[in-house]
Amino acid sequence: MNYIIQATGLSPWAFGLAALMTFIAAGIRGLTGFGMAIVLVPLLGMVVAPAEAVVIGILLQLLIGPVGLKDIVAEADRDSALRIAMFAVVATPAGLWLLAHSSPDAARIVIAAIAIGAFAMVLLPAKPGQVPGFAFTAGTGIVSGILTGYAAMPGPPVVPYYLRQQMEPRRARASMMLVFFATAIAGSLASAVMGVATIHLFVVALCLFPPMWLGNHLGGKAFGTISPPVWRGCVALLLGAAGVSAVVRAFN
């Protein structure tokens, strides 16, 4: 434990809090397929600098991405997921650039607007059987990529994309996870090239991997025990809570 404290540069209290935050956020990811960064990055911002919290969030998503990847690829709607991922990967460096050139207040307002907009889209009537067109898919990927670099939060545009199709939960969850793994790879590479991902932050992410793995594992176990309507309700509730939280942070 002393080695971990020395390696991360955090106090025992701060590291314990970060580990607990990571465990809870990863449990939500395992259950819903998204939400780890939405929950974790603002909380980590209370322990480390906000910009460092974004990078740690991206690195953690990179580390958890390969876990269960074989099943994720098999269950996902690969055509749409890969299209979204392609546009997201291209747009992620732009998000990092915006983060480096934006004030914290402006960032909070933009994130709040997008989170609320995504929640509103989930509430709109679903269109089962109607596949989104190229423009909507491309736009989803671009916004997801920008948000990955800007806030380590690729989820808000991707979640309504799949939920509004009334896609089977297991397929939607796997599709989102596949997209988020791709954005994590792009975000990690771009942040390393731009010099914002340091060895120190990577060590912090590695030290937080065990509680993340455990939370993700337990959340995944719970996913198989709930009905599709309950799952959709959990996803919508989480997205709504993220939007409210983002608004509160923007105006405080």
Side-chain angles (χ1 to χ4, degrees), residues 33 40 91 111-112 114 119 175 181 201 208 212 217:
L40 183 59
I111 292 168
I114 292 173
F119 179 60
S175 301
F181 184 38
L201 295 180
L208 291 174
M212 176 177 60
H217 176 72

Side-chain angles (χ1 to χ4, degrees), residues 81-141:
L82 291 176
R83 287 192 185 99
I84 293 172
M86 177 182 66
F87 286 102
V89 165
V90 173
T92 295
L96 283 165
W97 184 88
L98 286 172
L99 177 65
H101 293 81
S102 297
S103 69
D105 289 339
R108 292 188 187 99
I109 291 172
V110 171
I111 292 168
I114 292 173
I116 291 295
F119 179 60
M121 287 188 66
V122 169
L123 296 180
L124 292 174
K127 298 181 178 181
Q130 182 173 335
V131 180
F134 175 81
F136 190 78
T137 300
T140 298

Side-chain angles (χ1 to χ4, degrees), residues 106-196:
R108 292 188 187 99
I109 291 172
V110 171
I111 292 168
I114 292 173
I116 291 295
F119 179 60
M121 287 188 66
V122 169
L123 296 180
L124 292 174
K127 298 181 178 181
Q130 182 173 335
V131 180
F134 175 81
F136 190 78
T137 300
T140 298
I142 291 170
V143 176
S144 178
I146 291 174
L147 280 180
T148 296
Y150 200 59
M153 297 179 186
V158 177
V159 174
Y161 180 94
Y162 286 108
L163 256 64
R164 293 198 65 221
Q165 297 181 59
Q166 289 290 307
M167 186 179 288
E168 194 271 326
R170 186 169 296 277
R171 189 171 178 84
R173 174 177 173 270
S175 301
M176 290 189 289
M177 285 181 163
L178 190 57
V179 171
F180 301 153
F181 184 38
T183 59
I185 294 172
S188 298
L189 290 174
S191 58
V193 170
M194 296 175 71
V196 294

